[in-house]
Amino acid sequence: MKKILIAGGTGFVGRHLVSHLIQVGYSVHVLTRKPSENTHSGMKYFQWDLKKRYIDINAFEGVDTIINLTGENISAGRWTSERRLELIESRVSSLDLLYHYVKEHTLKIEKIISSSAVGYYGAYTTETIFSEESENGNDFLAHICKVWEQAAQQFESLGAKTIILRKGIVIGKDGGIYAKLAPLAKLGINVSVGSGKQYMPWVSLRDLMMMYEFILVQNDIRGVYNAVAPQHITMNDFAYILLRSFGKTSFLPNVPSFILKLLYGEMSVMLLQGSRVSNAKIRNFGFKFHLDTIERSLTYYSV
């Protein structure tokens, strides 16, 4: 049974990925600050501590692939100077520590799949469709993604195939934007914000799980890939289809931009801005999306 080490396996995406990989036959080692004694079949917890620069070396036993999902929740609070530093360090320090252990202990890691986000291209609304070759943006979100990716790319120097997924908004039932907005939509409340014309790059949780599984079995894959669905939608599109998935309509106006700016400060750009992002590179490699429209995805998760 092939073993995979997951850093950040206790978050929204991580929990589902651990479960999915076990279901398809992998054995999973999960790094966590507080290891649980309640291990499950196919999964073991191992302790790590970023501040103390410590990882239980047993976590790497039999492992040839690392999946990195670490990083403080970027939307959990205002971007104060202290918070900005936390957001960056939580992403970079975790990869630096993993790299240090692999290098110092001469561990044979063949592949690492690390996270990034479509925020790499910058938080603004244009008609440009960004691809993996597009330039890095010039705002805080873009900077986070750039240093995040640079930290992951260190593994190439150790001979590990490095794959970076620039994820869109992940649509899943028990977390992320769906869990926050679905209860409002069920009440017939319009969840769109600002002009509503900003694009919203997204991916269904199910397709994201399948993408990880796909990448794990590809021997010659490496580099950066956009993890976004084929369908380009705006915030207004999302709000309308989310309401309709619950048999609702709404005549309420969009939440005004100034309210979000007052509530969230600079962080509001995550909701108020967005551009289209291409997934042609991963599709050309052979990956097929199943929940490829927002209608299919929201219907799937509203059942």
Side-chain angles (χ1 to χ4, degrees), residues 59 75 89 116-117 122 128 176 180 187 289 292:
S75 62
E89 286 191 342
S116 184
T128 300
K180 293 178 181 178
L187 298 174
F289 289 82
D292 54 354

Side-chain angles (χ1 to χ4, degrees), residues 116-151:
S116 184
V118 295
Y120 178 91
Y121 307 111
Y124 44 83
T125 303
T126 73
E127 289 304 310
T128 300
I129 300 177
F130 293 104
S131 72
E132 290 82 354
E133 288 71 40
S134 297
E135 292 185 1
N136 184 218
N138 56 12
D139 54 26
F140 178 59
L141 283 174
H143 175 67
I144 286 180
C145 293
K146 181 179 180 179
V147 296
W148 199 2
E149 293 184 14
Q150 288 173 337

Side-chain angles (χ1 to χ4, degrees), residues 12-13 16-17 20-21 23-24 169-174 202-214 227 229 287-293 296-301:
F12 168 46
V13 171
H16 285 274
L17 184 57
H20 178 78
L21 292 179
Q23 287 179 4
V24 296
I169 295 171
V170 181
I171 304 294
K173 189 169 187 177
D174 58 347
W202 65 280
V203 63
S204 75
L205 180 63
R206 181 176 182 271
D207 278 335
L208 184 59
M209 298 299 99
M210 298 300 293
M211 191 178 296
Y212 275 105
E213 183 183 346
F214 174 82
F287 180 74
K288 294 181 180 179
F289 289 82
H290 295 276
L291 298 178
D292 54 354
T293 69
R296 288 177 183 171
S297 186
L298 293 182
T299 299
Y300 180 84
Y301 288 114

Side-chain angles (χ1 to χ4, degrees), residues 217-289:
V217 299
Q218 303 300 317
N219 293 324
D220 54 349
I221 192 169
R222 68 198 320 153
V224 180
Y225 294 85
N226 291 328
V228 294
Q231 184 189 43
H232 302 301
I233 63 169
T234 65
M235 187 68 189
N236 280 343
D237 295 331
F238 174 75
Y240 173 75
I241 297 166
L242 180 61
L243 282 161
R244 197 171 63 182
S245 72
F246 296 112
K248 302 289 186 178
T249 57
S250 177
F251 298 101
L252 295 173
N254 291 7
V255 178
S257 299
F258 77 88
I259 292 179
L260 289 176
K261 291 176 181 177
L262 285 173
L263 290 173
Y264 303 116
E266 187 184 354
M267 191 177 72
S268 62
V269 298
M270 294 178 60
L271 294 171
L272 297 174
Q273 302 293 338
S275 297
R276 293 178 292 177
V277 177
S278 169
N279 69 6
K281 186 177 178 181
I282 192 71
R283 285 192 294 109
N284 290 341
F285 206 92
F287 180 74
K288 294 181 180 179
F289 289 82

Side-chain angles (χ1 to χ4, degrees), residues 2-272:
K2 194 168 184 179
K3 292 181 181 179
I4 296 172
L5 177 62
I6 298 185
T10 57
F12 168 46
V13 171
R15 295 194 313 271
H16 285 274
L17 184 57
V18 168
S19 177
H20 178 78
L21 292 179
I22 291 171
Q23 287 179 4
V24 296
Y26 291 94
S27 175
V28 180
H29 290 183
V30 179
L31 292 178
T32 178
R33 286 173 292 184
K34 297 180 180 179
S36 170
E37 295 181 359
N38 298 322
T39 57
H40 305 285
S41 177
M43 178 183 67
K44 290 183 180 180
Y45 289 108
F46 295 88
Q47 187 176 23
W48 73 333
D49 190 314
L50 294 181
K51 291 183 179 179
K52 295 180 180 178
R53 303 288 294 169
Y54 168 79
I55 302 177
D56 181 348
I57 194 62
N58 294 309
F60 295 95
E61 184 180 354
V63 168
D64 63 10
T65 300
I66 298 172
I67 296 178
N68 175 55
L69 299 167
T70 56
E72 290 284 334
N73 186 344
I74 201 164
S75 62
R78 278 178 170 263
W79 292 344
T80 62
S81 296
E82 183 179 357
R83 181 64 178 163
R84 284 169 179 261
L85 188 59
E86 289 176 354
L87 292 171
I88 292 172
E89 286 191 342
S90 65
R91 287 160 171 77
V92 174
S93 296
S94 56
L95 282 162
D96 282 348
L97 182 57
L98 286 165
Y99 171 79
H100 168 77
Y101 264 72
V102 172
K103 182 178 180 180
E104 291 300 312
H105 295 277
T106 321
L107 302 172
K108 294 183 179 180
I109 299 299
E110 298 177 1
K111 183 181 294 184
I112 178 169
I113 309 171
S114 193
S115 296
S116 184
V118 295
Y120 178 91
Y121 307 111
Y124 44 83
T125 303
T126 73
E127 289 304 310
T128 300
I129 300 177
F130 293 104
S131 72
E132 290 82 354
E133 288 71 40
S134 297
E135 292 185 1
N136 184 218
N138 56 12
D139 54 26
F140 178 59
L141 283 174
H143 175 67
I144 286 180
C145 293
K146 181 179 180 179
V147 296
W148 199 2
E149 293 184 14
Q150 288 173 337
Q153 287 162 350
Q154 295 178 98
F155 285 85
E156 284 285 346
S157 68
L158 303 179
K161 295 173 183 174
T162 304
I163 301 95
I164 295 171
L165 294 182
R166 291 179 184 158
K167 299 171 188 172
I169 295 171
V170 181
I171 304 294
K173 189 169 187 177
D174 58 347
I177 194 172
Y178 184 90
K180 293 178 181 178
L181 299 184
L184 298 175
K186 284 181 179 180
L187 298 174
I189 297 173
N190 178 17
V191 298
S192 190
V193 299
S195 71
K197 296 179 181 179
Q198 64 273 34
Y199 289 101
M200 199 183 96
W202 65 280
V203 63
S204 75
L205 180 63
R206 181 176 182 271
D207 278 335
L208 184 59
M209 298 299 99
M210 298 300 293
M211 191 178 296
Y212 275 105
E213 183 183 346
F214 174 82
I215 291 170
L216 286 170
V217 299
Q218 303 300 317
N219 293 324
D220 54 349
I221 192 169
R222 68 198 320 153
V224 180
Y225 294 85
N226 291 328
V228 294
Q231 184 189 43
H232 302 301
I233 63 169
T234 65
M235 187 68 189
N236 280 343
D237 295 331
F238 174 75
Y240 173 75
I241 297 166
L242 180 61
L243 282 161
R244 197 171 63 182
S245 72
F246 296 112
K248 302 289 186 178
T249 57
S250 177
F251 298 101
L252 295 173
N254 291 7
V255 178
S257 299
F258 77 88
I259 292 179
L260 289 176
K261 291 176 181 177
L262 285 173
L263 290 173
Y264 303 116
E266 187 184 354
M267 191 177 72
S268 62
V269 298
M270 294 178 60
L271 294 171
L272 297 174

